[in-house]
mmCIF file of all heavy atoms in Angstrom:
data_model
loop_
_atom_site.group_PDB
_atom_site.id
_atom_site.type_symbol
_atom_site.label_atom_id
_atom_site.label_comp_id
_atom_site.label_asym_id
_atom_site.label_seq_id
_atom_site.Cartn_x
_atom_site.Cartn_y
_atom_site.Cartn_z
ATOM 1 N N SER A 70 -15.098 50.166 299.180
ATOM 2 C CA SER A 70 -15.317 49.443 297.936
ATOM 3 C C SER A 70 -14.784 50.223 296.741
ATOM 4 O O SER A 70 -14.160 49.659 295.844
ATOM 5 C CB SER A 70 -16.813 49.162 297.756
ATOM 6 O OG SER A 70 -17.064 48.481 296.550
ATOM 7 N N LEU A 71 -15.001 51.539 296.736
ATOM 8 C CA LEU A 71 -14.509 52.363 295.632
ATOM 9 C C LEU A 71 -12.990 52.360 295.564
ATOM 10 O O LEU A 71 -12.398 52.284 294.491
ATOM 11 C CB LEU A 71 -15.018 53.799 295.789
ATOM 12 C CG LEU A 71 -16.471 54.070 295.373
ATOM 13 C CD1 LEU A 71 -16.891 55.463 295.795
ATOM 14 C CD2 LEU A 71 -16.636 53.897 293.879
ATOM 15 N N GLU A 72 -12.347 52.440 296.715
ATOM 16 C CA GLU A 72 -10.885 52.486 296.741
ATOM 17 C C GLU A 72 -10.270 51.135 296.416
ATOM 18 O O GLU A 72 -9.251 51.063 295.726
ATOM 19 C CB GLU A 72 -10.410 52.949 298.114
ATOM 20 C CG GLU A 72 -10.765 54.408 298.425
ATOM 21 C CD GLU A 72 -10.467 54.770 299.863
ATOM 22 O OE1 GLU A 72 -9.995 53.878 300.603
ATOM 23 O OE2 GLU A 72 -10.704 55.934 300.252
ATOM 24 N N SER A 73 -10.872 50.059 296.896
ATOM 25 C CA SER A 73 -10.274 48.736 296.737
ATOM 26 C C SER A 73 -10.631 48.075 295.417
ATOM 27 O O SER A 73 -9.799 47.402 294.809
ATOM 28 C CB SER A 73 -10.728 47.824 297.894
ATOM 29 O OG SER A 73 -10.349 48.365 299.141
ATOM 30 N N LEU A 74 -11.884 48.256 294.965
ATOM 31 C CA LEU A 74 -12.371 47.559 293.775
ATOM 32 C C LEU A 74 -12.699 48.490 292.619
ATOM 33 O O LEU A 74 -13.019 48.010 291.530
ATOM 34 C CB LEU A 74 -13.623 46.740 294.136
ATOM 35 C CG LEU A 74 -13.485 45.780 295.319
ATOM 36 C CD1 LEU A 74 -14.824 45.100 295.590
ATOM 37 C CD2 LEU A 74 -12.408 44.746 295.059
ATOM 38 N N ARG A 75 -12.649 49.804 292.839
ATOM 39 C CA ARG A 75 -13.000 50.804 291.835
ATOM 40 C C ARG A 75 -14.481 50.766 291.456
ATOM 41 O O ARG A 75 -14.885 51.274 290.424
ATOM 42 C CB ARG A 75 -12.140 50.643 290.573
ATOM 43 C CG ARG A 75 -10.684 50.994 290.783
ATOM 44 C CD ARG A 75 -10.546 52.480 291.073
ATOM 45 N NE ARG A 75 -9.168 52.917 291.054
ATOM 46 C CZ ARG A 75 -8.405 53.076 292.144
ATOM 47 N NH1 ARG A 75 -8.923 52.810 293.347
ATOM 48 N NH2 ARG A 75 -7.167 53.495 292.045
ATOM 49 N N LEU A 76 -15.297 50.120 292.304
ATOM 50 C CA LEU A 76 -16.740 50.053 292.095
ATOM 51 C C LEU A 76 -17.433 50.341 293.414
ATOM 52 O O LEU A 76 -16.947 49.948 294.479
ATOM 53 C CB LEU A 76 -17.177 48.671 291.609
ATOM 54 C CG LEU A 76 -16.588 48.121 290.302
ATOM 55 C CD1 LEU A 76 -17.134 46.732 290.065
ATOM 56 C CD2 LEU A 76 -16.944 49.021 289.147
ATOM 57 N N SER A 77 -18.585 50.993 293.351
ATOM 58 C CA SER A 77 -19.401 51.137 294.551
ATOM 59 C C SER A 77 -20.035 49.796 294.887
ATOM 60 O O SER A 77 -20.050 48.875 294.062
ATOM 61 C CB SER A 77 -20.486 52.196 294.325
ATOM 62 O OG SER A 77 -21.396 51.754 293.335
ATOM 63 N N ARG A 78 -20.579 49.687 296.082
ATOM 64 C CA ARG A 78 -21.200 48.413 296.486
ATOM 65 C C ARG A 78 -22.356 48.037 295.578
ATOM 66 O O ARG A 78 -22.536 46.876 295.216
ATOM 67 C CB ARG A 78 -21.680 48.523 297.940
ATOM 68 C CG ARG A 78 -20.567 48.614 298.968
ATOM 69 C CD ARG A 78 -21.124 48.728 300.369
ATOM 70 N NE ARG A 78 -21.955 49.923 300.508
ATOM 71 C CZ ARG A 78 -22.639 50.223 301.609
ATOM 72 N NH1 ARG A 78 -22.609 49.416 302.650
ATOM 73 N NH2 ARG A 78 -23.356 51.321 301.666
ATOM 74 N N ASP A 79 -23.155 49.039 295.197
ATOM 75 C CA ASP A 79 -24.312 48.773 294.340
ATOM 76 C C ASP A 79 -23.870 48.270 292.966
ATOM 77 O O ASP A 79 -24.402 47.276 292.455
ATOM 78 C CB ASP A 79 -25.148 50.037 294.203
ATOM 79 C CG ASP A 79 -26.315 49.854 293.251
ATOM 80 O OD1 ASP A 79 -27.142 48.958 293.498
ATOM 81 O OD2 ASP A 79 -26.398 50.593 292.255
ATOM 82 N N VAL A 80 -22.899 48.942 292.364
ATOM 83 C CA VAL A 80 -22.436 48.547 291.028
ATOM 84 C C VAL A 80 -21.725 47.195 291.099
ATOM 85 O O VAL A 80 -21.857 46.370 290.180
ATOM 86 C CB VAL A 80 -21.499 49.626 290.449
ATOM 87 C CG1 VAL A 80 -20.939 49.195 289.105
ATOM 88 C CG2 VAL A 80 -22.250 50.944 290.305
ATOM 89 N N PHE A 81 -21.002 46.950 292.181
ATOM 90 C CA PHE A 81 -20.357 45.646 292.350
ATOM 91 C C PHE A 81 -21.400 44.532 292.379
ATOM 92 O O PHE A 81 -21.232 43.472 291.753
ATOM 93 C CB PHE A 81 -19.540 45.626 293.640
ATOM 94 C CG PHE A 81 -18.939 44.284 293.961
ATOM 95 C CD1 PHE A 81 -17.751 43.877 293.370
ATOM 96 C CD2 PHE A 81 -19.574 43.417 294.843
ATOM 97 C CE1 PHE A 81 -17.205 42.638 293.655
ATOM 98 C CE2 PHE A 81 -19.034 42.180 295.135
ATOM 99 C CZ PHE A 81 -17.848 41.790 294.540
ATOM 100 N N GLY A 82 -22.485 44.752 293.096
ATOM 101 C CA GLY A 82 -23.543 43.744 293.151
ATOM 102 C C GLY A 82 -24.163 43.492 291.790
ATOM 103 O O GLY A 82 -24.442 42.344 291.419
ATOM 104 N N ARG A 83 -24.365 44.557 291.016
ATOM 105 C CA ARG A 83 -24.929 44.391 289.668
ATOM 106 C C ARG A 83 -23.969 43.610 288.764
ATOM 107 O O ARG A 83 -24.407 42.802 287.930
ATOM 108 C CB ARG A 83 -25.211 45.764 289.051
ATOM 109 C CG ARG A 83 -26.278 46.565 289.779
ATOM 110 C CD ARG A 83 -26.516 47.898 289.082
ATOM 111 N NE ARG A 83 -27.362 48.774 289.886
ATOM 112 C CZ ARG A 83 -27.749 49.981 289.511
ATOM 113 N NH1 ARG A 83 -27.356 50.441 288.320
ATOM 114 N NH2 ARG A 83 -28.498 50.713 290.285
ATOM 115 N N LEU A 84 -22.672 43.871 288.913
ATOM 116 C CA LEU A 84 -21.689 43.142 288.113
ATOM 117 C C LEU A 84 -21.719 41.649 288.440
ATOM 118 O O LEU A 84 -21.667 40.803 287.531
ATOM 119 C CB LEU A 84 -20.291 43.708 288.357
ATOM 120 C CG LEU A 84 -19.141 43.002 287.622
ATOM 121 C CD1 LEU A 84 -19.332 43.066 286.112
ATOM 122 C CD2 LEU A 84 -17.801 43.615 288.016
ATOM 123 N N CYS A 85 -21.804 41.309 289.718
ATOM 124 C CA CYS A 85 -21.869 39.891 290.108
ATOM 125 C C CYS A 85 -23.111 39.213 289.522
ATOM 126 O O CYS A 85 -23.044 38.075 289.052
ATOM 127 C CB CYS A 85 -21.852 39.765 291.634
ATOM 128 S SG CYS A 85 -20.284 40.207 292.411
ATOM 129 N N VAL A 86 -24.243 39.923 289.553
ATOM 130 C CA VAL A 86 -25.475 39.367 288.985
ATOM 131 C C VAL A 86 -25.315 39.154 287.484
ATOM 132 O O VAL A 86 -25.723 38.116 286.933
ATOM 133 C CB VAL A 86 -26.665 40.299 289.283
ATOM 134 C CG1 VAL A 86 -27.901 39.859 288.507
ATOM 135 C CG2 VAL A 86 -26.965 40.321 290.778
#
Side-chain angles (χ1 to χ4, degrees):
S70 179
L71 282 171
E72 293 171 0
S73 301
L74 307 177
R75 291 294 190 262
L76 301 178
S77 66
R78 291 180 300 176
D79 176 58
V80 176
F81 175 82
R83 295 181 190 181
L84 178 60
C85 291
V86 171

